[in-house]
Amino acid sequence: MVDRLEHALASTERRQRSVAVLFLDLDNFKVINDSLGHNAGDELLVAVAERLRECLRPADTAARLSGDEFVVLIEDVAEEGEATGLAERLDRQLQAPFELGDQDVYVTPSIGIALGTSSDRPDDLLRKADIAMYRAKSGGKARYEVFNVRMDAEARARLKLETELRQAIEREEFRVYYQPKVLLETGEIFDFEALVRWEHPERGLVSPAEFIPLAEETGLIHQIGRWVLRESCRQIHEWQEQMLSETPIPVCVNLSAKQFQHPDLAQEIAGILQETKIDRHLLCLEITESVAMEKAPSNIATLNKLKDLGVKLAIDDFGTGYTESDCILPSMSEKRNSEESESSRLEGLYRKAGDPVLRTHLLMVWRMSLGESLREVAGVVGYSEKWTREIARRYESEGVEGLGDRRHANPGARERALLDEEGQAELREALLKGAPPPGGGMWNGPKVARWIEEKTGSEKVHAQRGWEYLRKVGYTPQVPRPSNARSADASEREAFKKVSR
């Protein structure tokens, strides 16, 4: 094939025509091999070759390159349409079922097309057709794509990214950030989600949307996922030792489908738990709904093993294709996380809603998902803050990820945002002495939040955190006083002293 291609390319200058290479790959051929056996697979390849030959002209050349890949060479091509027309004919030719013994099977081809002239080398033209074929596969299979220069640049960029990703694992360039999830009713944090970021030495933080798909495709996701699990457990252990809050807060770690299918997953997690010596209920493993609902014996066995480890399990992306009754393990409904671009989903519901009251309610929840404070949203819709919180609570009965505090915290940020016992004692003393809060006025949630920011150096502390600490130290604010008041009155301080004792 390479010799024929080289000869054809050399003749293009004299004929003032192009040649076209069609690179075919049979979609899901592995399924046939796995289900019917390799003999049936070989029989299918012979039958496919016969059908391809029926579509070709006498001067065209077809060859099986390797496995389930075929290459077709056509010469004297005047325009691209001749190559795409052949691709469409080949696709139609393969649509009828193939008889393998007493079994009818169907196959579809993904086809990449590359046109070349005398300035191209045979191996370059084959490479370009191969790139176009993979683009067709990634675009949904059973289709064709014609190579263009942009594909070449993207392929080179992908190779560069893969190389850098492998180096990043060796150099430990990944970082874990912890996104708080809060209860709308109280503003309290009920857990953190571990988010992996790649701290590229030149590009800065790289979004997981850019490197996670590549990591899954190349198998590097196992090494990255193992590192994220170990790092998250190490951080949980560190927070446990520091006792930053009265009730330890769990950390959720996402498992990709590829990670979940690894046969040694439960054993690896058990080793990490033993190594870090954390309370196992503080680790929550989130798996996608499609994985959780797949009733494959291996999946069920893995779920049972993870449950036996004592860790929590949660379904990520809940609601994208199954109902709760479809759960294969009751434990999988422990916690649900809806993450399908929450703000976009809420915006869509808001814009489609016809009822004016419903539109107002959805507007509130949507704007809060974008990070606006309770006070800001209440001002927009004209409701009281209490009623705004109640409506939001009804729409999101358990909690909204990141709502109210949109920062992704690095490991040190949580320590700064949570006051230790000494910090709480300092706050209690300030309240007992009647010290004015930042900006004057009376102590309340926002004032305490500002006080924590000044004391701990946090970038932003949500007002709900301030209310939380007022409750912790036993202080209940009374009716607001004028903004020029220097301190709480004597009766208020006396009542606080009784509570604090």
Side-chain angles (χ1 to χ4, degrees), residues 76-95:
D76 291 328
V77 177
E79 60 180 4
E80 182 183 295
E82 294 181 32
T84 58
L86 175 59
E88 291 169 358
R89 292 197 301 275
L90 293 173
D91 181 59
R92 288 195 297 270
Q93 188 75 352
L94 297 179
Q95 285 180 3

Side-chain angles (χ1 to χ4, degrees), residues 23-25 63-70:
F23 201 115
L24 287 81
D25 183 90
R64 178 180 167 218
L65 198 61
S66 64
D68 59 339
E69 296 176 339
F70 295 83

Side-chain angles (χ1 to χ4, degrees), residues 259-459:
Q259 281 180 273
F260 188 81
Q261 291 161 4
H262 196 285
D264 298 329
L265 174 66
Q267 184 178 347
E268 288 179 355
I269 294 176
I272 292 173
L273 291 171
Q274 186 174 2
E275 173 190 331
T276 54
K277 297 180 174 57
I278 66 168
D279 289 343
R280 300 189 173 198
H281 71 279
L282 294 180
L283 175 63
C284 176
L285 301 175
E286 291 189 347
I287 61 177
T288 60
E289 182 183 7
S290 58
V291 170
M293 305 309 172
E294 187 180 336
K295 298 177 177 62
S298 59
N299 281 13
I300 295 175
T302 300
L303 286 170
N304 282 322
K305 288 178 183 177
L306 294 177
K307 185 65 178 174
D308 290 343
L309 290 177
V311 299
K312 291 184 178 180
L313 299 174
I315 300 177
D316 200 12
D317 297 324
F318 190 89
T320 58
Y322 298 89
T323 61
E324 183 176 351
S325 60
D326 289 315
C327 290
I328 57 177
L329 287 177
S331 60
M332 293 310 301
S333 59
E334 288 179 2
K335 186 172 73 63
R336 304 170 190 169
N337 174 31
S338 180
E339 195 186 64
E340 45 147 329
S341 184
E342 187 68 12
S343 60
S344 298
R345 183 179 71 84
L346 291 168
E347 179 185 8
L349 292 172
Y350 159 69
R351 297 194 183 283
K352 291 177 183 177
D355 181 76
V357 175
L358 177 61
R359 280 177 60 84
T360 301
H361 292 179
L362 288 170
L363 174 64
M364 293 161 50
V365 181
W366 169 36
R367 294 184 69 131
M368 290 180 73
S369 76
L370 294 173
E372 295 188 27
S373 69
L374 196 67
R375 177 171 296 179
E376 289 172 329
V377 173
V380 169
V381 298
Y383 287 178
S384 68
E385 290 185 36
K386 181 179 179 181
W387 183 234
T388 301
R389 183 186 294 109
E390 173 63 20
I391 292 171
R393 186 189 64 79
R394 292 180 185 179
Y395 276 84
E396 302 288 348
S397 60
E398 290 197 19
V400 178
E401 184 174 321
L403 200 71
D405 189 345
R406 304 292 291 183
R407 290 179 299 115
H408 293 176
N410 60 33
R414 182 177 174 228
E415 286 91 327
R416 294 195 299 269
L418 294 175
L419 288 177
D420 55 18
E421 291 184 5
E422 183 179 346
Q424 293 181 41
E426 189 176 349
L427 174 61
R428 184 181 289 108
E429 183 180 358
L431 293 168
L432 283 169
K433 290 182 177 179
M442 65 172 290
W443 286 96
N444 55 27
K447 297 289 187 180
V448 174
R450 284 186 57 186
W451 185 85
I452 295 174
E453 289 171 6
E454 293 178 1
K455 292 291 181 181
T456 64
S458 298
E459 295 177 6

Side-chain angles (χ1 to χ4, degrees), residues 234-246 411-412 414-416 418-421:
R234 185 200 63 76
Q235 189 61 65
I236 292 173
H237 176 76
E238 187 175 314
W239 283 338
Q240 272 185 254
E241 293 295 305
Q242 295 172 349
M243 294 185 293
L244 296 171
S245 59
E246 296 175 4
R414 182 177 174 228
E415 286 91 327
R416 294 195 299 269
L418 294 175
L419 288 177
D420 55 18
E421 291 184 5

